[in-house]
Amino acid sequence: MSVPKYDEDFKKSIVALYQAGKSQSQLSKEYDVSLSAVSRWVKQYSEVKLDDDSVISAQQIKELQKKCHA
């Protein structure tokens, strides 16, 4: 059994729906995606607004943390 591949746009659209108020379990059932995948995408693609009104993704934060600890 192969693992389904989802493109980045699809993942981001699921995250946008989550941020608009749908629950992760709701999205998992509605789009037939595992709950762990939805959770991982939310962590990966959620964005944080900074004080200077710029936006950074969780993935970018993770990359910055790696550079700081290297």
Side-chain angles (χ1 to χ4, degrees):
M1 188 168 151
S2 65
V3 177
K5 299 278 183 183
Y6 300 100
D7 67 16
E8 196 167 340
D9 288 337
F10 177 77
K11 294 174 186 179
K12 287 180 178 181
S13 67
I14 295 294
V15 173
L17 290 168
Y18 170 75
Q19 291 173 334
K22 289 205 172 200
S23 71
Q24 290 184 13
S25 59
Q26 211 176 1
L27 291 165
S28 171
K29 290 175 189 169
E30 191 172 328
Y31 291 92
D32 195 29
V33 176
S34 72
L35 186 56
S36 62
V38 174
S39 178
R40 187 172 55 252
W41 299 342
V42 166
K43 288 177 186 171
Q44 185 176 5
Y45 293 106
S46 290
E47 296 180 335
V48 177
K49 189 172 183 179
L50 302 175
D51 291 339
D52 64 357
D53 287 335
S54 60
V55 177
I56 189 168
S57 71
Q59 188 170 5
Q60 290 170 314
I61 292 170
K62 197 176 216 178
E63 289 169 7
L64 288 171
Q65 287 175 328
K66 283 181 185 177
K67 286 180 184 177
C68 289
H69 293 107

